[in-house]
Amino acid sequence: MEILTGNELMSGATVYLDSAGTWVEELQKARVFGKSDLEAKEAAIAATKRTGRINSLEVETVTVKDGRIVPDRLREHIRATGPTAPVFDRQHLDEDGHVSI
Amino acid sequence: MYRYDEFDAAFVRERTQQFSDQVRRRLSGDMSEDQFRPLRLMNGLYLQLHAYMLRIAVPYGTVSSRQMRMLAHIARSYDRGYGHFTTRQNIQFNWPKLRDIPQILADLASVEMHAIQTSGNCIRNITTDQFAGAAADEIIDPRPVAEILRQWSSLHPEFSFLPRKFKIAMTGATTDRAAIRFHDIGLQATTNDLGEIGWQVWVGGGLGRTPMIGKLLSGYVAHEHLLAYLESTLRVYNRYGRRDNKYKARIKILVHEEGIESIREQVEAEFAEVKGGVLTLPQAELDRISAYFAAPQYELVNARSVDVAREKILNPFYGRWLERNLNAHRQPGYVSVTISLKPVGGAPGDATDTQMEVVADLAQRYSFDELRVTHEQNLVLPHVKVTDLPAIYEVLVKNGLADGNAGQITDIICCPGLDFCALANARSIPIAQELTRKFESPERQAEIGDLKIKISGCINACGHHHVGHIGILGVEKKGTELYQITVGGDATEKAAIGDILGHGFVAEEVPNAIERLVNTYIARRESPAEPFIAAYRRLGKEPFKEALYGAN
Ligand code: SF4
């Protein structure tokens, strides 16, 4: 299973594409694409690129465990929550940082 | 210190305005990210895991109080109240927002700083000995020449798109504190048969995926011809350096593949063409630049030294700080003071805005307004009267900056790693934190003596792990962070690349593995006067391999 993630243009904050087509901060709200969602995923990537507002767009593999989205890579855990050492809150979106496709 | 002339000021101002317009066009959608990315990188703006990162150049590691206060202001106003000093003597801010970057650059320009050429395949910030212009063992202050090289290399039209980035380090002292053998070009001051001072030129050193020790390209190049000689070297690299493979594009690979003799031949042929031409440095110009770096107005003082043994009895913390954090100065009665950015449990190289302000105040009051950033991620007050040491120490204590651990096992070089860096494979800061906790005891650190640990979160080796007496490289294997330990690296004039002794360790095992290496050293050293690196050279790998992995 896969999710789409990137960094929002203004703040650089880590964001995820949700089911409503909005780029949001919370990993748990990310839309999970299964094997049969290839077309939808490609369409979402294309639409995201058209906004010009999401950088470093990546497809990340995840596992859904007990209803929770768990990224396969440690890198993604850290991107989702912020640095572990020193501990800092993750970057947040500004008022004008909300992007939809 | 060097001050911008009208040309410098206008150039930086124009670049700031230009980038401000580029940001505006990016935000308005007139420019795509593909178009914008190379422009932002030319201005030191990266996009990392969590946010943008702005890397600001600190030319040859020299910074004034006014400039340090501006860095504090940027940390406080646009970031999260701290900055990270790097192994390239630069500073990075980890949380700026794109809309604030133009103002940050304008603020920087107001104190004669910028972020140009801190990224890209160009000549990067020229680094040097943090004690330049102060060290007792110095032949010459390298900073006037470093400044001339900075001017020559800034937006050099021929060298703005090299096959790969290019790093120059230089030292005017006999002891190499700038790791010059591990740079694309390393310059070491030397004298010729007539006693005239010039430069040894080393080429093809580097760390990263393929660590190499630089090779001697020329034993002596006079000041006046240095620019022509370097231009010739860069030209040969630009012409023949590989552009087909990013991993083979550094000059070290060219030197390795072609051989130093062949490279020397090419450089000499080019040099014969350009020598004596427009790149000849007139003495008057060297004198003009040198005047900016003239020795400060030292006082003639009676107190020439500190009785460290006595101070250690009176106040062991202060005594230890004196013992570890002072460097001999050329001026009697003065020393250079290392301000450690390596507190126990801290992130190596990080300083808060308040700490930056405090250090700026100390520099203004006690060190002729001058500070240095070290490639080992500490700060330095270069010119301090010995009688001022107690007052300085008191201020440092109040601000969490008084660790007396320079050159000891807790004075760790560490890159940002997977907590921040988009290229990382593993975290590095938590490893450094655990190690400082493990070896927290000052007595234990004193018992161990000089020992340099260097940690990188990936093979790019920004944390210089190859040249750590003990190096730690983070890798990722099947989703787990593993740490490869190397032993025997050395960044000084005795340049050596550390040996890999076996498989990697998971994070939890690293502190104990390092302790086993340390215990082996202590058990096997000839005396406490034999440092770790010397003992390793004498004993060889075997005892240390056994310490890590047990007997076969
Ligand atoms: S060594 Fe790797 S992880 Fe560390 S800062 Fe450099 S690129 Fe990033």
mmCIF file of all heavy atoms in Angstrom, chain B residues 156-178:
data_model
loop_
_atom_site.group_PDB
_atom_site.id
_atom_site.type_symbol
_atom_site.label_atom_id
_atom_site.label_comp_id
_atom_site.label_asym_id
_atom_site.label_seq_id
_atom_site.Cartn_x
_atom_site.Cartn_y
_atom_site.Cartn_z
ATOM 1 N N HIS B 156 32.930 32.954 -10.142
ATOM 2 C CA HIS B 156 33.936 32.803 -11.197
ATOM 3 C C HIS B 156 33.222 32.232 -12.430
ATOM 4 O O HIS B 156 32.671 31.133 -12.373
ATOM 5 C CB HIS B 156 35.029 31.854 -10.722
ATOM 6 C CG HIS B 156 36.231 31.835 -11.611
ATOM 7 N ND1 HIS B 156 36.145 31.522 -12.949
ATOM 8 C CD2 HIS B 156 37.529 32.095 -11.360
ATOM 9 C CE1 HIS B 156 37.358 31.589 -13.471
ATOM 10 N NE2 HIS B 156 38.217 31.933 -12.531
ATOM 11 N N PRO B 157 33.225 32.954 -13.542
ATOM 12 C CA PRO B 157 32.385 32.521 -14.666
ATOM 13 C C PRO B 157 32.760 31.140 -15.200
ATOM 14 O O PRO B 157 31.894 30.403 -15.677
ATOM 15 C CB PRO B 157 32.619 33.601 -15.730
ATOM 16 C CG PRO B 157 33.838 34.330 -15.304
ATOM 17 C CD PRO B 157 33.961 34.185 -13.827
ATOM 18 N N GLU B 158 34.029 30.801 -15.090
ATOM 19 C CA GLU B 158 34.455 29.515 -15.657
ATOM 20 C C GLU B 158 34.177 28.365 -14.689
ATOM 21 O O GLU B 158 34.050 27.214 -15.104
ATOM 22 C CB GLU B 158 35.956 29.601 -15.968
ATOM 23 C CG GLU B 158 36.479 28.498 -16.838
ATOM 24 C CD GLU B 158 37.972 28.679 -17.136
ATOM 25 O OE1 GLU B 158 38.455 29.828 -17.172
ATOM 26 O OE2 GLU B 158 38.650 27.658 -17.314
ATOM 27 N N PHE B 159 34.072 28.690 -13.413
ATOM 28 C CA PHE B 159 34.004 27.617 -12.417
ATOM 29 C C PHE B 159 32.680 27.597 -11.644
ATOM 30 O O PHE B 159 32.623 27.161 -10.503
ATOM 31 C CB PHE B 159 35.187 27.720 -11.440
ATOM 32 C CG PHE B 159 36.527 27.707 -12.135
ATOM 33 C CD1 PHE B 159 37.554 28.535 -11.711
ATOM 34 C CD2 PHE B 159 36.751 26.874 -13.227
ATOM 35 C CE1 PHE B 159 38.786 28.525 -12.360
ATOM 36 C CE2 PHE B 159 37.986 26.860 -13.884
ATOM 37 C CZ PHE B 159 38.997 27.686 -13.453
ATOM 38 N N SER B 160 31.628 28.104 -12.260
ATOM 39 C CA SER B 160 30.326 28.090 -11.583
ATOM 40 C C SER B 160 29.555 26.804 -11.837
ATOM 41 O O SER B 160 28.595 26.500 -11.148
ATOM 42 C CB SER B 160 29.478 29.279 -12.042
ATOM 43 O OG SER B 160 30.033 30.464 -11.534
ATOM 44 N N PHE B 161 29.979 26.053 -12.859
ATOM 45 C CA PHE B 161 29.330 24.773 -13.163
ATOM 46 C C PHE B 161 30.405 23.713 -13.373
ATOM 47 O O PHE B 161 30.595 23.201 -14.470
ATOM 48 C CB PHE B 161 28.415 24.910 -14.391
ATOM 49 C CG PHE B 161 27.275 25.859 -14.154
ATOM 50 C CD1 PHE B 161 27.363 27.178 -14.553
ATOM 51 C CD2 PHE B 161 26.136 25.440 -13.485
ATOM 52 C CE1 PHE B 161 26.327 28.072 -14.306
ATOM 53 C CE2 PHE B 161 25.093 26.325 -13.237
ATOM 54 C CZ PHE B 161 25.187 27.638 -13.648
ATOM 55 N N LEU B 162 31.090 23.421 -12.306
ATOM 56 C CA LEU B 162 32.151 22.404 -12.341
ATOM 57 C C LEU B 162 31.505 21.021 -12.423
ATOM 58 O O LEU B 162 30.294 20.878 -12.215
ATOM 59 C CB LEU B 162 32.998 22.518 -11.065
ATOM 60 C CG LEU B 162 33.849 23.793 -10.939
ATOM 61 C CD1 LEU B 162 34.325 23.974 -9.505
ATOM 62 C CD2 LEU B 162 35.032 23.762 -11.904
ATOM 63 N N PRO B 163 32.295 19.967 -12.674
ATOM 64 C CA PRO B 163 31.692 18.632 -12.655
ATOM 65 C C PRO B 163 31.022 18.333 -11.312
ATOM 66 O O PRO B 163 30.021 17.613 -11.247
ATOM 67 C CB PRO B 163 32.894 17.707 -12.884
ATOM 68 C CG PRO B 163 33.869 18.551 -13.648
ATOM 69 C CD PRO B 163 33.698 19.939 -13.096
ATOM 70 N N ARG B 164 31.570 18.898 -10.242
ATOM 71 C CA ARG B 164 31.013 18.644 -8.913
ATOM 72 C C ARG B 164 31.483 19.768 -7.999
ATOM 73 O O ARG B 164 32.319 20.582 -8.377
ATOM 74 C CB ARG B 164 31.521 17.265 -8.431
ATOM 75 C CG ARG B 164 30.755 16.615 -7.326
ATOM 76 C CD ARG B 164 29.456 15.993 -7.781
ATOM 77 N NE ARG B 164 28.813 15.358 -6.633
ATOM 78 C CZ ARG B 164 28.025 15.993 -5.785
ATOM 79 N NH1 ARG B 164 27.783 17.284 -5.919
ATOM 80 N NH2 ARG B 164 27.456 15.340 -4.774
ATOM 81 N N LYS B 165 30.960 19.781 -6.761
ATOM 82 C CA LYS B 165 31.380 20.823 -5.816
ATOM 83 C C LYS B 165 32.887 20.759 -5.571
ATOM 84 O O LYS B 165 33.506 19.699 -5.756
ATOM 85 C CB LYS B 165 30.626 20.691 -4.509
ATOM 86 C CG LYS B 165 30.796 19.352 -3.820
ATOM 87 C CD LYS B 165 29.862 19.271 -2.634
ATOM 88 C CE LYS B 165 29.729 17.859 -2.129
ATOM 89 N NZ LYS B 165 28.784 17.739 -1.030
ATOM 90 N N PHE B 166 33.439 21.891 -5.112
ATOM 91 C CA PHE B 166 34.886 21.956 -4.956
ATOM 92 C C PHE B 166 35.218 22.680 -3.650
ATOM 93 O O PHE B 166 34.803 23.810 -3.425
ATOM 94 C CB PHE B 166 35.487 22.718 -6.147
ATOM 95 C CG PHE B 166 36.929 22.394 -6.379
ATOM 96 C CD1 PHE B 166 37.294 21.383 -7.249
ATOM 97 C CD2 PHE B 166 37.927 23.090 -5.703
ATOM 98 C CE1 PHE B 166 38.627 21.078 -7.459
ATOM 99 C CE2 PHE B 166 39.252 22.788 -5.909
ATOM 100 C CZ PHE B 166 39.605 21.775 -6.796
ATOM 101 N N LYS B 167 35.986 21.986 -2.810
ATOM 102 C CA LYS B 167 36.258 22.536 -1.474
ATOM 103 C C LYS B 167 37.755 22.774 -1.284
ATOM 104 O O LYS B 167 38.559 21.891 -1.556
ATOM 105 C CB LYS B 167 35.744 21.577 -0.405
ATOM 106 C CG LYS B 167 34.236 21.362 -0.482
ATOM 107 C CD LYS B 167 33.758 20.311 0.497
ATOM 108 C CE LYS B 167 32.262 20.095 0.381
ATOM 109 N NZ LYS B 167 31.783 19.007 1.244
ATOM 110 N N ILE B 168 38.062 23.962 -0.820
ATOM 111 C CA ILE B 168 39.463 24.338 -0.575
ATOM 112 C C ILE B 168 39.630 24.624 0.913
ATOM 113 O O ILE B 168 38.811 25.313 1.513
ATOM 114 C CB ILE B 168 39.842 25.602 -1.386
ATOM 115 C CG1 ILE B 168 39.669 25.346 -2.886
ATOM 116 C CG2 ILE B 168 41.267 26.044 -1.069
ATOM 117 C CD1 ILE B 168 39.895 26.562 -3.768
ATOM 118 N N ALA B 169 40.694 24.062 1.495
ATOM 119 C CA ALA B 169 41.017 24.361 2.893
ATOM 120 C C ALA B 169 42.474 24.775 2.958
ATOM 121 O O ALA B 169 43.292 24.318 2.156
ATOM 122 C CB ALA B 169 40.780 23.137 3.774
ATOM 123 N N MET B 170 42.774 25.643 3.901
ATOM 124 C CA MET B 170 44.165 26.089 3.992
ATOM 125 C C MET B 170 44.596 26.295 5.427
ATOM 126 O O MET B 170 43.781 26.561 6.307
ATOM 127 C CB MET B 170 44.367 27.366 3.178
ATOM 128 C CG MET B 170 43.437 28.504 3.517
ATOM 129 S SD MET B 170 43.402 29.740 2.203
ATOM 130 C CE MET B 170 45.138 30.109 2.014
ATOM 131 N N THR B 171 45.902 26.170 5.641
ATOM 132 C CA THR B 171 46.440 26.426 6.968
ATOM 133 C C THR B 171 47.785 27.119 6.835
ATOM 134 O O THR B 171 48.563 26.812 5.928
ATOM 135 C CB THR B 171 46.583 25.141 7.805
ATOM 136 O OG1 THR B 171 47.183 25.486 9.060
ATOM 137 C CG2 THR B 171 47.446 24.090 7.128
ATOM 138 N N GLY B 172 48.012 28.045 7.753
ATOM 139 C CA GLY B 172 49.300 28.734 7.769
ATOM 140 C C GLY B 172 50.199 28.186 8.852
ATOM 141 O O GLY B 172 51.289 28.714 9.098
ATOM 142 N N ALA B 173 49.747 27.130 9.523
ATOM 143 C CA ALA B 173 50.499 26.596 10.665
ATOM 144 C C ALA B 173 51.141 25.252 10.310
ATOM 145 O O ALA B 173 50.812 24.643 9.300
ATOM 146 C CB ALA B 173 49.559 26.421 11.855
ATOM 147 N N THR B 174 52.043 24.819 11.157
ATOM 148 C CA THR B 174 52.690 23.522 10.920
ATOM 149 C C THR B 174 51.752 22.381 11.294
ATOM 150 O O THR B 174 51.767 21.322 10.682
ATOM 151 C CB THR B 174 53.980 23.411 11.738
ATOM 152 O OG1 THR B 174 53.692 23.832 13.069
ATOM 153 C CG2 THR B 174 55.074 24.289 11.153
ATOM 154 N N THR B 175 50.931 22.609 12.321
ATOM 155 C CA THR B 175 49.939 21.615 12.686
ATOM 156 C C THR B 175 48.702 21.848 11.834
ATOM 157 O O THR B 175 48.204 22.974 11.774
ATOM 158 C CB THR B 175 49.532 21.774 14.171
ATOM 159 O OG1 THR B 175 50.721 21.758 14.953
ATOM 160 C CG2 THR B 175 48.609 20.666 14.618
ATOM 161 N N ASP B 176 48.220 20.789 11.212
ATOM 162 C CA ASP B 176 47.045 20.948 10.348
ATOM 163 C C ASP B 176 45.766 20.785 11.175
ATOM 164 O O ASP B 176 45.393 19.681 11.540
ATOM 165 C CB ASP B 176 47.090 19.918 9.212
ATOM 166 C CG ASP B 176 45.868 20.011 8.312
ATOM 167 O OD1 ASP B 176 45.059 20.933 8.498
ATOM 168 O OD2 ASP B 176 45.732 19.143 7.428
ATOM 169 N N ARG B 177 45.097 21.905 11.414
ATOM 170 C CA ARG B 177 43.819 21.858 12.140
ATOM 171 C C ARG B 177 42.650 22.065 11.178
ATOM 172 O O ARG B 177 41.516 22.239 11.604
ATOM 173 C CB ARG B 177 43.807 22.951 13.225
ATOM 174 C CG ARG B 177 44.714 22.657 14.411
ATOM 175 C CD ARG B 177 44.772 23.821 15.391
ATOM 176 N NE ARG B 177 45.579 24.901 14.882
ATOM 177 C CZ ARG B 177 46.845 25.167 15.241
ATOM 178 N NH1 ARG B 177 47.444 24.427 16.144
ATOM 179 N NH2 ARG B 177 47.510 26.175 14.699
ATOM 180 N N ALA B 178 42.948 22.099 9.877
ATOM 181 C CA ALA B 178 41.895 22.384 8.892
ATOM 182 C C ALA B 178 41.622 21.194 7.981
ATOM 183 O O ALA B 178 40.888 21.327 7.007
ATOM 184 C CB ALA B 178 42.286 23.604 8.070
#
